[in-house]
Amino acid sequence: MPFQDSSHVLVDPRPANSQHALQGHQNDSSPHKTTEVPINQHSGRGSCRGDERRLMSILTSLSKVPVLFLLLYMFICSLDVLSSAFQLAGGKVAGTIFKENAILSNPVAGLVVGILVTVLVQSSSTSTSIVVSLVSSGLLEVQSAIPIIMGSNIGTSVTNTIVALMQAGERDEFRQAFAGATVHDCFNWLTVLVLLPLEAASGLVRRLSHVTVTSLSLHSGEEAPELLKVLTEPLTKLVIQLDKSVITGLAMGDEGMRNRSLVKVWCHGSIHRITSNISSENGTAENVTLERYHQKCRHLFVDSSLSDLAVGIILLAVSLLVLCTCLILLVKLLNSLLKGQVAKVIQKIINTDFPSPFGWLAGYLAILVGAGMTFVVQSSSVFTSAITPLIGLGVISLERAYPLTLGSNMGTTTTAILAALASPGDKLAAAFQVALCHFFFNVLGILLWYPVPFTRLPIRMARFLGEQTAAYRWFAVLYLILCFLLFPSVVFGLSMAGWRVMVAVGVPFVTAVLFVAVVNLLQARRPRYLPAGLRTWAFLPMWMRSLQPMDAFITRVTLSCTQKTWRGQTRGQPFGELCPAQRKADGLIEVPAVTAASHINIQTIEAGRSTRL
């Protein structure tokens, strides 16, 4: 047996087939010849191996960075193609909706139209540009355009909410990502609830924008710089190119656009100069140079015989597939990069406030960063969708994501302002005023819901929504349907029925919502101020105060469908005959139904919780 002392280790120096002579002390009486190797030589060898492992780890991490940027590039391109797909599928419908000027004169209807159109085309810039064209041509007044702009601000936040659904596989990540995505929705809805009635009563935003326009000496300038599109358009233009003038033409009442495809066929290309003599009004001949463009666009669907709807559905499926794949790979790659000390350092840098008494400056700096980054990428949807996975991973806290989102809202309006400044002279004032309305809406919203910490309700609302989606994942889909489709459609129908019907339905609904919100707040903070009967909601039926009954119903329906699928795959083997281990492995464990006894138990538990509060 070899032995070890404080200075030397005895090892066998000869590997198999070794012909080397022994060095050092040899013991001839032992069957195994040994030699002495200094310990520092052995530890040096281990140190070299450790350095090699660290070097390989660094090189592996560095090699992941280009892959990370490639996935981010593909993710942004897929968002662009997704927007084009929605415009192909619903762009003409959106243009037709804008055509009804009698509807748009109703502020509530205009708000809902802005939401639905932006959800249909997945681009607030497209809906805003249509509004600018309508105002510039005199078909729509600025007063009627402001609610549409507010609605487009709400509709554009659906994109990052959809992106958050891609992290539903991990419960904690899903809770944080969904809260980070819906903080944008909550801010926009709360701002609209305050500013829309105020605008209808006083015209605050319209007056501010009008005073600003009249006090400035405006001149038509160059187009807004498209910094990100310089990188993304070479790829997205190979997939699809759209003629957005079709949607604008339909909105302005040009019926000739109805039979025209949104898929662009002819692009600006080779220039043929033709000089001809044309007689002017005073009888003199003038040489006029005509420029004609005769080059076909180069993209996948340029010669396709498919309808716009069919092309839109194909692109929608492909873009969602690419978006989901890129997002899943991005999350996994970020998980591998942002771990250990690296993650702690990044979290500390992003989420740490300034030293006292300047801690409040960190949030305003985040607003400026969000505005600057959105100006660079030219899209609030791209910026908020890109930070959503980071929120899910915990790299960016919800408290820091909130000012970043507010800055993103401001950044996208500055881009619209620069675009409006590039309008022709006769349309410049109207286009600039509409863009300023968008800007003032977001600035007033920030003043309402950010400077005072107590007023940061969107953070608390978003955290509540995140907790609900973590407990009941189907709630996220229900939220999207209710918030962006069903609720706006119901409000639109009520507004069309007349203001009396809308007031008769809306006032009791708003009163009930405010009552529940106030009672919940008092139950959590000052229960002694409430009557004994209102200190808990135990007197209400279970379905009115909990999502558990609906969750049990959805679970039973899902399990029923799973059982049928399982029976079909096992050639009629009854579901009940499966062994418990197999049922557990396949995720087919049945959830017990909510019985009367369990109903009473749940009531008792919740009553106990409320009493403890």
Side-chain angles (χ1 to χ4, degrees), residues 494-495 497-504:
L494 291 175
S495 64
W499 67 269
R500 292 183 178 86
V501 176
M502 188 169 180
V503 169

Side-chain angles (χ1 to χ4, degrees), residues 312-328:
I313 292 174
I314 293 172
L315 289 178
L316 181 64
V318 174
S319 59
L320 282 176
L321 178 62
V322 175
L323 186 145
C324 296
T325 304
C326 291
L327 187 60
I328 292 171

